[in-house]
Amino acid sequence: MAEVVIRFEDVTKAYRKGGEALVVLDHLDMSVEAGEFLALMGPSGSGKSTILNLIGGLDLPDSGAVWVQGTDVSRLSADALSSFRANHVAYVFQAFNLIPVLTAEENVALPLLLTPLTKAQRREQSRFALEIVGLSDRMDHKPKQLSGGQEQRVAIARAIAMDPTILLCDEPTGDLDRDSADQVLELLARLSSEFGKTIVMVTHDLQASEYASRTVHLDKGVVVDPTIA
Amino acid sequence: MSLSLLARRQAGGHPMRTLLTVGAATVAIFLFCFLRSIVTSLDAAVEASASNRIITGSAVSLFQSLPSAYMGQIEAIEGVESVSRFTWFGGRYQSEENFFAQFGCDPETLMQQYPELLLPDAQKRAWVRDRRGAIIGQGLADQYGWKIGDTIPLIGTIYPRVDGSDWEFTVCGIYRSAKPNLDEVTMYFHWEYMDRVLEEGGSYGPRGTSVFVVKLADGFTGEEVSTAIDAYYSGGPQRTRTQTEAAFQAGFVSMLGNLPTFLGMLGTAVLIAILFGVVNTMTIAARERVRSMGILKSLGFPNRIPVRLYLMESTGIVLLGGGLGMLLANLTQDPLRAAFGTYIPVYHVTQDTYVMAALICIAIGFAAGAWPAWRASRLRAAESIRRGV
């Protein structure tokens, strides 16, 4: 049995909206094994993105514990969380979220500033990451000069440049056409199968979920398909 | 890839906005240097004044001449080493606009009393020999293109020639000054030449001397000799007012009233205006970069990195603008000194002013970047990415 790298223990999270508490995760228990490609599906407001934010420590649970690689991230200080994110998780967003004033190569090299690597090593590593996503010929292009699919592949290159254990993908194909979406999904599947990355992907797209090794359905903050929870 | 590159790229993301802010900082720091230099240049003459020279003028007004006979009497007072006469000539060169200071004086005593007046020996001897000779400062020579041997025709205003002709002086020497109390835009000529023309009826005008410059003998203070001179003339025929050279120079500055204070206030207002300008730029930039800051945090950058980025950017913008302002202030020293002419003949930008301007740039940069930096450090990554534009 593979190692469990992510575990939610009785996690509850609510947001306040107009004075009312909106519960997005309701005593959630779930786990993800190392090397798994997990798809999270469900209607808007079902808590999918919140799960990603909690795994990466971008948000904190109201109660319960979020264990990632043996660490309860909900108990870490701000600085420890930053360090944890830099070392263990990486995000791929629906809106790509590249820094517009930097080139593809510079965007990929950005998180490497957090490492003790030399400038030359950083360049080598970012070029290697761009090669993996098939964009070696676009490294001097700025985001505006790339197509949506290319932007997302640069974002994936940035995510893998740090060699994280876990990739958190929030609707990575939401803004892409079918062909581009398939290229990105194939890339993610390859990262999971060839490079052993644990991938948690939020998606509304049934076809996208087919690339995953497992799919969890959520509704109103709870897992609705008990057979795969 | 480095953080400073990111800060530079972000500043360059809106080139027009950044250029305008840099331009505003350039103008503001130039104005600061310019205004402060007016004040420091006025003060410099006071600070550089000799402590062994005192100046005797009329107690009534500087425009009132003293009898020339006072010279011998003052020389006889205990504590006086030498006395030199200076009479304000007030001539114009070719037209009313071309005005510079001219004094009738005693060449030998002048050169003995003012070691800061630098003149080659040959030129000194030539001036002493030529009764119509004059020496001019390097600044005047540069401004009018005069050289040794040239004749300078001056229209007498206080001392017009009876036949309507110009006074003519021959340039015997071009002096430099070793201290800011002596400017390089003045002409000195023989007092006796002017007095002889007046005596012979060749010119109208008051006889006498504007001021006597007294060099103190060793062991005497300016205060005791001043008191002795003024006491000697307390019963007339004309009462005198004797002051140290520093007090005499300060008297000219005080004639400007509250100008130094006014210039100081103006300079402060300019700096506050640029602070607001840079704060505005950085606040707009910060609002545009909420998402970018969220991205950095999601990549694992700690809170201090966005803080550092904003401070680097704002300080960089102000330092760039300020550096250009200081360069402009440096390059415009000569033309401004020429434009000020006799009013601020030693105008120059001091090292202190540059250092102060640089410190002000850093302070403004930090102050302008502090607010957006603090805001950025408090943003939560998930919210920044969700809300950001």
Side-chain angles (χ1 to χ4, degrees):
Chain A
M1 187 177 167
E3 176 200 1
V4 171
V5 288
I6 301 167
R7 196 167 77 246
F8 279 61
E9 282 181 0
D10 196 25
V11 172
T12 297
K13 177 72 185 175
Y15 293 110
R16 299 205 73 78
K17 196 172 183 183
E20 272 185 45
L22 187 68
V23 178
V24 287
L25 291 181
D26 191 4
H27 299 282
L28 177 74
D29 290 293
M30 65 171 268
S31 58
V32 184
E33 292 177 355
E36 235 188 324
F37 184 175
L38 176 73
L40 292 175
M41 295 194 73
S44 297
S46 60
K48 307 181 298 295
S49 295
T50 303
I51 287 174
L52 294 194
N53 289 341
L54 292 176
I55 296 170
L58 294 184
D59 225 335
L60 296 172
D62 296 334
S63 65
V66 180
W67 295 89
V68 181
Q69 295 210 294
T71 302
D72 182 359
V73 292
S74 56
R75 301 275 183 273
L76 294 177
S77 67
D79 278 350
L81 263 178
S82 296
S83 172
F84 168 82
R85 269 198 293 275
N87 291 315
H88 298 292
V89 300
Y91 281 90
V92 177
F93 300 96
Q94 177 178 355
F96 323 133
N97 284 341
L98 299 175
I99 305 282
V101 292
L102 299 179
T103 64
E105 185 185 351
E106 289 163 349
N107 264 289
V108 176
L110 189 60
L112 298 174
L113 288 176
L114 294 164
T115 67
L117 295 177
T118 63
K119 195 175 176 183
Q121 289 169 323
R122 292 201 299 267
R123 181 178 297 153
E124 193 184 336
Q125 196 149 330
S126 50
R127 286 182 179 188
F128 177 62
L130 280 168
E131 201 179 303
I132 290 176
V133 301
L135 286 176
S136 296
D137 57 339
R138 292 285 188 274
M139 58 182 136
D140 293 328
H141 289 59
K142 289 192 174 166
K144 266 186 188 170
Q145 299 166 308
L146 299 170
S147 69
Q150 288 170 331
E151 277 196 79
Q152 191 59 294
R153 283 192 279 158
V154 173
I156 292 170
R158 180 179 65 186
I160 60 173
M162 289 283 279
D163 195 22
T165 327
I166 301 163
L167 270 182
L168 304 172
C169 309
D170 195 354
E171 299 269 12
T173 57
D175 284 357
L176 303 179
D177 58 52
R178 192 68 258 163
D179 285 347
S180 300
D182 285 339
Q183 282 180 24
V184 166
L185 290 165
E186 278 164 20
L187 180 61
L188 291 175
R190 202 177 129 220
L191 289 171
S192 172
S193 60
E194 279 183 37
F195 295 89
K197 304 292 175 201
T198 304
I199 299 176
V200 181
M201 176 179 70
V202 167
T203 184
H204 281 105
D205 179 3
L206 204 58
Q207 273 181 272
S209 69
E210 286 169 6
Y211 286 85
S213 54
R214 183 163 68 104
T215 301
V216 168
H217 292 269
L218 291 157
D219 193 15
K220 293 174 186 163
V222 295
V223 176
V224 291
D225 186 346
T227 59
I228 43 177
Chain B
M1 182 59 213
S2 63
L3 282 179
S4 62
L5 172 75
L6 180 56
R8 284 202 302 277
R9 288 281 177 80
Q10 285 186 326
H14 286 272
M16 182 54 75
R17 187 172 67 200
T18 303
L19 273 177
L20 290 173
T21 311
V22 167
T26 302
V27 173
I29 293 299
F30 167 73
L31 280 176
F32 167 79
C33 292
F34 170 68
L35 296 172
R36 186 170 191 275
S37 297
I38 291 176
V39 178
T40 57
S41 299
L42 290 170
D43 288 344
V46 177
E47 285 163 14
S49 299
S51 59
N52 65 347
R53 289 194 296 252
I54 55 176
I55 294 169
T56 299
S58 168
V60 179
S61 159
L62 264 181
F63 302 105
Q64 183 78 42
S65 293
L66 291 171
S68 295
Y70 276 23
M71 185 159 164
Q73 294 160 358
I74 292 172
E75 275 174 339
I77 291 173
E78 192 181 15
V80 174
E81 185 183 295
S82 63
V83 182
S84 181
R85 299 175 274 219
F86 286 81
T87 294
W88 177 256
F89 185 69
R92 299 288 190 274
Y93 171 63
Q94 293 181 333
S95 66
E96 280 295 313
E97 295 78 45
N98 294 329
F99 169 73
F100 54 88
Q102 310 112 27
F103 287 99
C105 65
D106 303 311
E108 284 170 292
T109 328
L110 168 79
M111 290 185 284
Q112 179 257 326
Q113 288 187 334
Y114 285 82
E116 60 266 44
L117 188 148
L118 307 176
L119 192 65
D121 286 343
Q123 294 180 20
K124 281 182 187 173
R125 286 194 296 273
W127 184 30
V128 170
R129 274 198 310 271
D130 186 349
R131 291 172 66 79
R132 281 174 52 177
I135 59 169
I136 56 173
Q138 184 68 53
L140 272 187
D142 292 343
Q143 188 176 352
Y144 293 106
W146 288 327
K147 55 190 184 303
I148 290 170
D150 282 357
T151 297
I152 301 176
L154 292 181
I155 304 162
T157 54
I158 303 170
Y159 300 98
R161 302 287 290 228
V162 172
D163 60 5
S165 63
D166 291 343
W167 290 76
E168 289 189 339
F169 300 93
T170 307
V171 178
C172 294
I174 296 171
Y175 72 87
R176 299 304 305 254
S177 171
K179 287 169 74 181
N181 61 315
L182 183 75
D183 63 63
E184 292 183 350
V185 287
T186 298
M187 181 180 115
Y188 298 98
F189 60 90
H190 287 257
W191 181 89
E192 284 185 351
Y193 167 58
M194 182 178 73
D195 192 59
R196 178 71 57 85
V197 173
L198 284 167
E199 191 178 342
E200 291 172 351
S203 168
Y204 307 111
R207 302 284 296 274
T209 300
S210 300
V211 293
F212 293 100
V213 173
V214 177
K215 187 178 179 193
L216 303 173
D218 288 344
F220 288 87
T221 66
E223 192 181 348
E224 60 188 323
V225 178
S226 297
T227 306
I229 294 171
D230 291 344
Y232 186 87
Y233 295 109
S234 59
Q238 264 201 57
R239 286 187 301 110
T240 59
R241 183 177 181 221
T242 306
Q243 308 167 79
T244 61
E245 192 176 280
F248 185 76
Q249 297 270 24
F252 280 107
V253 176
S254 68
M255 282 180 192
L256 300 171
N258 279 330
L259 185 66
T261 311
F262 174 70
L263 293 179
M265 288 166 64
L266 205 58
T268 308
V270 166
L271 293 177
I272 290 173
I274 184 59
L275 172 65
F276 288 160
V278 184
V279 166
N280 184 45
T281 299
M282 292 309 299
T283 306
I284 294 169
R287 198 171 299 156
E288 288 169 355
R289 293 188 203 135
V290 168
R291 183 190 286 269
S292 293
M293 293 304 129
I295 295 167
L296 287 179
K297 291 186 179 190
S298 74
L299 292 174
F301 285 91
N303 284 337
R304 64 177 179 277
I305 296 300
V307 171
R308 206 182 295 170
L309 277 172
Y310 280 120
L311 292 181
M312 279 164 79
E313 184 177 342
S314 62
T315 309
I317 286 174
V318 186
L319 272 175
L320 178 61
L324 291 172
M326 285 186 258
L327 183 66
L328 191 61
N330 184 277
L331 295 176
T332 53
Q333 283 181 104
D334 287 344
L336 284 172
R337 187 162 44 241
F340 282 132
T342 310
Y343 300 105
I344 312 175
V346 293
Y347 172 85
H348 78 291
V349 186
T350 64
Q351 291 294 324
D352 284 356
T353 300
Y354 289 128
V355 171
M356 200 177 279
L359 291 175
I360 286 170
C361 286
I362 293 169
I364 289 178
F366 263 79
W371 169 247
W374 181 77
R375 291 277 305 269
S377 74
R378 290 175 59 87
L379 282 172
R380 293 183 70 99
E383 191 190 355
S384 312
I385 293 168
R386 201 164 43 238
R387 277 195 319 145
V389 287

